[in-house]
Structure formats: C-alpha cells, structure tokens
Amino acid sequence: MFTLDQNYLQRLIESSPDIIIAVDRDGTITYYNDGARRNLRFSPEEIIGQPFARIYPSLEEAWRVMKAMRDSVDSRIASFETVLCDNDNQQIPVAISGSIIFDEHGTEIGSIGFARDIRRMRQREQLATCSEIAVSLAHEINNPLEAITNNLDLLTHCVDRHLTPAELVVETERVDSIRAGIARVQAIVRRLEEMTRKGVYETTDYLQGRKMADLAPRNAEGMKVAANGHTAVADEWALAGMSVLVLDDDISVVTSLADVLRAERCIVHTATRPSAAFGILRNMKVEAVISDVVMPEMDGYEFYLRVKEEMPDLPVILMTAYYYDKDHIIKRSRLRGLEGAIFKKPVNPAKLRQMLAQARQKPQTLKPASASPANPPPPTTRA
C-alpha cells in the first residue's frame, strides 16, 4: 500500500488554504495550520493551548459541532455548516469536515477539523438567486408598464383633441411627468438585470451604516422622456381598417394594446393562448399578428413557425417583457424571416404603428385555411 512521507504530509497540511485545527480530548487546540492563521488572523502563539471555543462565537456553537461528530455513526461530519470568529471577532461562515481521533485501544484522544470559508460560495448563490429574481421582476414590472403606456397614449390623444391650447400646456407637462416616471422605472429594472447578469454591483450607504445596492440609472438614463408617439395628420389613420391579432397571456396587455389599435381604427382580434389565436387566424381575415414570446402551450418561436407554415405571407411581430432573449427565440425567429421584433415592453406605440404600417404596405397573398368538415369552404354562386 502506498504511503506518504510524514514530512511531506506535514508540509501538505500546513500549506493548505483551508482552516485545519486539531484539539485534544479536553478541547485544547494542539494544531493550527497556515491556512487557519491567514483566515482567522490569530498567530500560533495566540491560539495553541487555548480552548477550542476561542474560535467560535459561543460555547454552545462549539459544542454543537462536537455533538454532531459524536452523534454520527462513524464519528465524522462532512460539510457541516457553522460559524467561526477571527481575531477581530468577525464571524466567518464555514463548512467543516472533521472526525474524532481514537488511539489503538479505541479511546478518544482528540479531533481534527478541516474548515472552508464559504462566504464567496454564498455570495455566488445569492447572485444567482438575485439574477433569477431580476429576470422575473423585469417581466412582472414591464407587463403592467405596457398597460400603463398604452393607456397613457390613448389619454394623450384625448387630451390633444379636447383641450384649449392653454389647458394643453398644463396637461402635457403632467403627461410628460408620467412618461419620465415610466422611463425611470424601466432604467432601474434594466440596471438590476445588468448587475445580476454580470455578477458585479455597486453599493451605497443606507441608514445606520448599512449598505444597499445602487440601482440609480446612469447618465441620466432614467430622466429621458419617451417620445409621445404622435403621427402626422397626413398619415394619422394609416392603419384604419387593418385587421390585427394581439396574442399575450397577460390580459391587461391584450386589453390596453387592443385599445391603442382600435384608437387607430384597426379591427382588433385578441387571444390569450396560442390555440385560441390559431382558431382566429383560420377563420378570420388577419393582416398582422402581434405576439408575446413567453406563453403557455408554446413559445413565440414555435408559434411563429406554425403561423408561417400555414400562412407564409402573414406578418408577425414578436414582443417580450424580458430585457434579453435568454432562449434566443427572437434571434432564431429572425433567421427564419421574422418581420419585426420588439425586445422589451412597454411597447413604444409610435414604433408599433410604424411597424404595422410597413407590414401593411407589403403585398400579401394569404394562404387560405385547408377545408375540413368542421370548417367547409363557402359555397360558390353563379351569376
């Protein structure tokens, strides 16, 4: 059997970056390696000969670790989480693997523990959790913002047409203030997502010396007011009579976006599930589809492919409340000929009008739905 030279083994243990401490049967520290010295910042002279409770925040915590060893079947513990205290009384979360040491007669003579500082590991876990929260938060915030933006656009049209010039000045300032607030919320969500994605963030002082993440928008990003999206009088009704299908599993988004399009004199069909959307597409004349990306039943990419399979010339515009295309749905759809994509909600009404107007100008030869007993073709008549 291969064995290590005792001097080599001693140097190996001494140079380990982990905290390695041995105690005798009375709980007195008898060994303290270089990794322990660098992590706990006690000199060997300060700690050798001291009770092992010296490196714990309390005697109860020290005995909790020893009890775990004694209660285990083989007198060992692995990755047992506890807390040690350094020379400045700062608490360090650690994972300890250790065992009780017995002599040749089976008598307990001490114990040894190998502890690893898990602060960085916990920080990575927290960042991973924050990243998941940030993605969900962006989605859950941007969907309501979509409804707010759409209704604000409708309100702006109403204000423009029913107020005197003097009243319009005051109300326009109020509307711009709302737009600025929306822009700031969007900027904060973008910054949160960016920080968690990169794993780096800045902090700022809070009450009583506490820290909090600095989510303030950079370069006055959050103070930019979005364009109000008004179109010129000449093409104000460029979408009049256009038949559009809106598909989103969030009913507030569907309702508000439909209202915006109806204000443009569009004929609007709505659905909250892809299966319902296909029922409309197969039975109604539709000139363009606006679809969410993340939906039940199928994602936006699969929905887009199925639409193109049945109706190759029908324009499709994808939109999402997420700030990045984590599943490459939009990217893959673009490679297959996607007409338009709006990466994030809330949708800019002016941009949406422009995309729909461009889609309407493209010649379309819609593929008719296949005849079936449930959906027979209309009867023909002769003059």
Side-chain angles (χ1 to χ4, degrees), residues 179-189 215-217 221-224:
R179 292 187 188 279
I182 293 173
R184 182 171 177 82
V185 172
Q186 288 182 273
I188 290 172
V189 173
L215 296 177
E221 181 185 12
M223 299 307 293
K224 295 177 182 178

Side-chain angles (χ1 to χ4, degrees), residues 61-268:
E61 184 63 20
W63 282 113
R64 189 176 75 90
V65 177
M66 289 304 300
K67 184 177 184 301
M69 284 188 188
R70 291 197 171 95
D71 289 348
S72 65
V73 176
D74 54 1
S75 301
R76 297 178 181 179
I77 55 174
S79 300
F80 185 87
E81 293 195 12
T82 183
V83 177
L84 300 181
C85 282
D86 64 12
N87 201 14
D88 296 324
N89 207 34
Q90 179 183 357
Q91 294 190 359
I92 303 173
V94 297
I96 291 182
S97 296
S99 63
I100 295 176
I101 303 173
F102 301 91
D103 63 15
E104 62 273 14
H105 304 294
T107 302
E108 180 181 333
I109 60 175
S111 63
I112 187 168
F114 300 76
R116 174 162 295 181
D117 186 339
I118 59 174
R119 283 177 294 187
R120 289 186 178 179
M121 182 182 71
R122 283 188 173 174
Q123 185 181 34
R124 286 194 295 269
E125 291 174 349
Q126 290 170 349
L127 285 172
T129 301
C130 287
S131 180
E132 294 173 358
I133 292 173
V135 172
S136 299
L137 186 64
H139 183 269
E140 295 304 318
I141 288 179
N142 285 329
N143 270 335
L145 282 182
E146 170 68 19
I148 293 171
T149 301
N150 291 335
N151 284 294
L152 182 61
D153 186 71
L154 293 169
L155 179 62
T156 303
H157 282 287
C158 182
V159 166
D160 287 351
R161 293 168 183 169
H162 294 87
L163 297 183
T164 65
E167 293 171 330
L168 185 60
V169 171
V170 175
E171 298 306 323
T172 299
E173 290 180 355
R174 291 174 177 169
V175 169
D176 287 344
S177 176
I178 296 173
R179 292 187 188 279
I182 293 173
R184 182 171 177 82
V185 172
Q186 288 182 273
I188 290 172
V189 173
R190 279 196 297 271
R191 181 155 171 75
L192 176 62
E193 187 279 325
E194 178 186 4
M195 290 192 314
T196 51
R197 178 163 42 85
K198 293 181 178 179
V200 178
Y201 64 94
E202 299 175 15
T203 59
T204 185
D205 289 332
Y206 191 46
L207 297 176
Q208 299 177 350
R210 299 176 65 182
K211 299 286 186 181
M212 67 177 183
D214 183 6
L215 296 177
R218 295 299 186 260
N219 301 322
E221 181 185 12
M223 299 307 293
K224 295 177 182 178
V225 179
N228 60 20
H230 286 185
T231 52
V233 175
D235 58 355
E236 186 175 4
W237 307 119
L239 304 182
M242 185 176 187
S243 179
V244 182
L245 170 63
V246 178
L247 169 62
D248 197 299
D249 60 329
D250 190 315
I251 189 64
S252 66
V253 173
V254 170
T255 302
S256 61
L257 196 53
D259 286 344
V260 167
L261 294 174
R262 289 190 182 106
E264 296 294 320
R265 300 187 180 181
C266 292
I267 301 169
V268 184

